[in-house]
Amino acid sequence: MLFWFSGTGNSRHVAALIARYTQDTTQNIATAMQQKKFEYTLKSGEALGIVCPTYFWGVPAIVDQFLSELSLTCSERPYTYAVFTCGGSSLNAVSLVRKHFPVDYFESVTMPDNFIIKYDMPDPADIKTCLRQADVALNRVYGIINRRETPKHNSASLFGIVATKSAYPGYDKLRHTSAFHVNDACIGCGLCAEICPDLAISLSDGKPFWTAPMCSLCLACVHRCPASAIQFGSKTAKRRRYMHPDLAAVPAKG
C-alpha cells in the first residue's frame, strides 16, 4: 500500500510511477482524511510506502496528522519506505515519518521547487529538464523497493538533523490562512475550494474565502487557479505558477 499527498502534482506523479513499477495500490492521503479512512489491512509481504513533498525540510501537516491516525492490520512488520519530492534535499524529513513507524528506506527526488511564497519558479526549460531527470532517478528507487533493500546509510546527516529541527517550526508560523487573498481576476470557478486538501476554502458570491485558521500550505489553490487570482502575501502576484504536466490531463480533484 502506497499513501501519497500532493498539492501541485509532483508527488502524485512519483507515487503513480512507483505504484506502476512495484504493482502496488495507492491511497490519496487528502481523500483518506476527508473520508476519515484510517484503517487498512496489508497482505503478507506487502510494502508500506509514503510519498509526499517536503515543507521546511519536514512533512506537510496533513501527512503528519494522517500518519498519527493510521491503523494497520498486518501479519508481519511490513517493509516500509518514504520517498520525498523536494527542490533540493529532504534532509531529516524522514524523522517526521519515523515518529509513527520504522522506515527501512527513504529517498529524495529533486523536482521543480514551487514554493513561490519565497521564490519564483525556474524557467520552463529548466523545469522540463528537472522533470526528465527525476523520472530517470526513480529507476533506482523502483529496484530498491522491489528488492526490499535497507541501505547501510539510512539516516540523515548531522547537518540534516540540525537543519530540519531548526527550520520545521517555522512551517507552523507561516501556514496561517490570513495571508491568502484573491484579486479581481477571480472568475468564480470554485476550483480552489474543490481541490483544497484541508477543505479550508468556501465560496461567497462566487469568491473564495478561507474558513480555517491554518492549512497545510500546499499552495494548490495559488498554483492551480486558472486566473492566477489567488495570492499569498504581497509577492506571489508577479511569480509564475506551476503544476506537474500530468495534472492537465486529469479531472480537477486529481
Side-chain angles (χ1 to χ4, degrees):
M1 174 68 73
L2 194 167
F3 298 99
W4 62 272
F5 172 75
S6 185
T8 57
N10 285 341
S11 292
R12 177 186 180 276
H13 173 77
V14 169
L17 289 182
I18 292 175
R20 180 190 308 170
Y21 283 95
T22 61
Q23 299 183 338
D24 208 347
T25 56
T26 65
Q27 173 64 62
N28 183 343
I29 287 175
T31 301
M33 287 292 292
Q34 292 165 14
Q35 297 177 349
K36 299 187 184 304
K37 185 180 178 182
F38 303 120
E39 296 183 0
Y40 298 86
T41 298
L42 300 185
K43 296 176 292 186
S44 178
E46 185 176 3
L48 169 63
I50 306 294
V51 176
C52 70
T54 56
Y55 298 164
F56 287 71
W57 295 324
V59 301
I62 192 172
V63 174
D64 187 54
Q65 184 179 354
F66 173 75
L67 295 181
S68 71
E69 300 277 0
L70 181 62
S71 176
L72 296 173
T73 299
C74 45
S75 60
E76 57 194 47
R77 187 179 87 77
Y79 174 83
T80 306
Y81 65 91
V83 177
F84 304 105
T85 58
C86 52
S89 171
S90 65
L91 295 183
N92 198 30
V94 70
S95 65
L96 278 300
V97 179
R98 283 177 168 154
K99 288 194 316 179
H100 306 287
F101 44 71
V103 176
D104 299 301
Y105 166 58
F106 73 95
E107 192 69 73
S108 301
V109 179
T110 301
M111 300 188 79
D113 190 339
N114 50 65
F115 193 57
I116 62 168
I117 293 174
K118 296 292 185 181
Y119 319 103
D120 199 357
M121 288 301 304
D123 291 333
D126 293 334
I127 288 176
K128 288 183 179 179
T129 298
C130 183
L131 291 173
R132 184 170 60 251
Q133 292 173 341
D135 282 357
V136 172
L138 280 168
N139 288 320
R140 173 176 169 271
V141 175
Y142 309 144
I144 291 174
I145 294 171
N146 275 331
R147 292 188 298 270
R148 303 291 195 260
E149 293 180 5
T150 301
K152 293 180 180 179
H153 302 289
N154 196 37
S155 60
S157 67
L158 178 59
F159 170 78
I161 293 170
V162 173
T164 293
K165 186 176 182 179
S166 175
Y168 195 61
Y171 174 45
D172 273 348
K173 295 179 181 178
L174 192 62
R175 61 189 189 92
H176 292 272
T177 59
S178 57
F180 286 102
H181 55 99
V182 61
N183 61 31
D184 293 338
C186 176
I187 60 175
C189 68
L191 177 63
C192 53
E194 185 178 5
I195 64 175
C196 177
D198 296 302
L199 301 180
I201 303 174
S202 294
L203 299 179
S204 177
D205 296 326
K207 304 297 182 182
F209 66 98
W210 281 258
T211 57
M214 300 176 77
C215 69
S216 293
L217 204 65
C218 72
L219 300 182
C221 60
V222 176
H223 281 288
R224 297 176 63 182
C225 172
S228 298
I230 296 177
Q231 314 299 334
F232 187 97
S234 60
K235 296 182 179 180
T236 57
K238 297 181 179 179
R239 292 173 176 165
R240 293 186 292 270
R241 270 42 176 179
Y242 169 83
M243 71 174 78
H244 190 280
D246 284 359
L247 283 181
V250 298
K253 284 190 176 181

